[in-house]
Amino acid sequence: QVHLVESGGGSVQAGQSLRLSCAYTSSPTCMGWFRQAPGKEREGVAIIVAATGDTNYADSVKGRFTISQDNNKNIVSLEMSNLTPDDTAMYYCAASKPALCGFNERFVGFWGQGTQVTVSS
């Protein structure tokens, strides 16, 4: 069982930055962030491999978002810069199932409760 608690969402204007954090109780194979905008399916945004720190990003956020982890504190963060209204969504922290890693939701074992990010133009 992995318990996830997100923080850091909010409302900002386009071009500004936000940092999301997710505290977890035990380290899975991968940690990641997904998001779901109104009327759209949930999509993977960024993932990080716990053992190696390797990362992967959705094309829509490459160069603007950075995922990082602090294994000592069991926190994974998502630094989001140059935000646009298209980034408006509920953001979910996700912990993978054992030995699985990727943007496929079937790889996710546990979800956080979500934190809202709203970007106005």
Side-chain angles (χ1 to χ4, degrees), residues 2 4 8-9 22 39-40 44 58 63 69 71:
V2 181
L4 307 172
C22 174
K40 295 186 178 181
Q69 62 183 4
N71 289 333

Side-chain angles (χ1 to χ4, degrees), residues 51-84:
T52 64
D54 290 341
T55 59
N56 195 15
Y57 298 92
D59 288 342
S60 59
V61 306
K62 281 181 181 176
R64 301 187 300 120
F65 289 13
T66 302
I67 188 171
S68 61
Q69 62 183 4
D70 184 334
N71 289 333
N72 292 325
K73 297 181 179 179
N74 279 9
I75 293 175
V76 63
S77 298
L78 186 68
E79 188 74 42
M80 306 182 293
S81 63
N82 196 19
L83 286 161
T84 74

Side-chain angles (χ1 to χ4, degrees), residues 33-35 42-47 57-61 102-103 105:
W33 289 93
F34 288 69
R35 68 185 181 186
R42 188 158 49 188
E43 61 174 353
V45 174
I47 55 175
Y57 298 92
D59 288 342
S60 59
V61 306
F103 288 137
E105 288 195 24

